[in-house]
Amino acid sequence: VNKYIIGLDIGGTAIKGALFSESGEIAFRNEIATPHDSGQAFFIDTLCDFAAALSDGHTVDAVGLGIAGILDPACTTLLESPNMPALRGMPLKAQLEQRLHCPVIIENDANAAALGELRAGAGRGLSNFLFFTLGTGIGSGLILNSRLWRGEQGRAGEFGHVTVYPEGELCGCGKRGCLEAHSSGTAIVRMAAAAAHQHSATALRAYAEIPSELTPKIVYQHARAGDAVSRDIFKAMALGLAIAIANVHTLLDIYTFIAGGGVSRAYDYFYPMVMEEIDQRIFSSVRGRIRLLRAELGNDAGVYGAAYAAREALNLAGL
Ligand SMILES: [Zn+2]
C-alpha cells in the first residue's frame, strides 16, 4: 500500500506544500499566500483546505508541517510565533489532527529544513552538521548522530542569536550583537544604507535617498563589480558568521556547516572570506578541515524536511 505524505512549509509570506509518494518523490505541489492577522480559526481552515487540495484525491497517511517559532518540547503547541502572533499558544497539532484525520507532525521551520538537507540535500550521509539559513533572519537546525538536536526545552539551534559582537547592533530579539544583527540579509541592507550616506566613493551612494530599494543582491552585485565598500559589507557579514561557526565547531567538534536561505546565493563570494576568518579562530591542528557547504534543496528544504519528519514518526509508530 502506498503511503502518501504531505509536507507543508509555513513561511512569513507563503505556505508551500507538496504531496510525496511512498518513494519520496514529489507527486504534486502548490503554494498559497500566508494568511496574516486573520485569527486561529481562519488559519486552520486555510491549512486544511490547502492540504485537501494537495492530496489530489489520495488518502494521506500523515502531514508534516514546518513553522517559524518555538514549539513546546513535544512539538504540539506553538509557544512563540514571530510571523503570526495570533497563533501563539495554539495547540496546533491537536486541532489539525482533529480536522485532517491523520497524524500531524510539527517542526520548527529551520529544523525541518535541516532534516530535508539531511535526507535529500547537502547533508546526505552525514551524521553531524549545523544547517543555517541566511535570509531576512538567521535560523538553524543542528543534526547530531543523524538526528535533530532540539535541546532540553525545544529551543536548540538558535544560531542566529549567538553573540558575535559584545557592543554590536540591536537584534530583533532584544539583545545586542547577535549573529542575525550582523550577518543576515537585513544586516547587509542596514550596513549598505549606512554606507550610502557615509561614503561618497561607492556605487551604493545612488541609494542614499532610496535606501528602501537596497537588497542583499544589489550589494552583492556591486561587490562583485569591484565596489570596495560593498565588499567590506560582505567582509563584516563573513566575520560574524566565521566567529559563530568557529565557536560551534570548538564546542561540539563538528566539521560541516550548510548554508541555505536567499543570501546563500552569494555563497561563492563570501565563502573564501568566511573560511579565512574561521581558520584564525580554531585550533591550528584542525585548520582547513571545516567544511562550509551550500544547501542543495533551496526553497524546497522545508517541505522535504516536514515530510521526512512525518514519515519518521509513522515508522517509529510502526504504521
Ligand atoms: Zn538576537
Side-chain angles (χ1 to χ4, degrees), residues 25-41:
E25 303 292 313
I26 291 182
F28 183 66
R29 62 192 303 159
N30 206 350
E31 188 173 321
I32 55 171
T34 304
H36 282 281
D37 306 322
S38 312
Q40 299 188 356

Side-chain angles (χ1 to χ4, degrees), residues 160-162 171-176 178-181:
H161 301 283
V162 299
C171 180
C173 73
K175 296 193 294 142
R176 240 175 221 294
C178 292
L179 177 65
E180 182 167 300

Side-chain angles (χ1 to χ4, degrees), residues 99-155:
R99 290 277 299 273
L100 294 170
H101 310 292
C102 70
V104 175
I105 310 305
I106 305 175
E107 268 302 343
N108 165 275
D109 58 349
N111 279 350
L115 272 180
E117 291 291 337
L118 173 69
R119 299 292 180 223
R124 268 189 319 270
L126 297 177
S127 303
N128 309 298
F129 63 85
L130 180 77
F131 164 84
F132 59 91
T133 54
L134 293 170
T136 311
I138 294 180
S140 78
L142 180 61
I143 302 290
L144 294 177
N145 296 322
S146 306
R147 303 189 67 87
L148 259 180
W149 174 259
R150 291 192 183 81
E152 291 192 15
Q153 299 290 326
R155 292 168 181 266

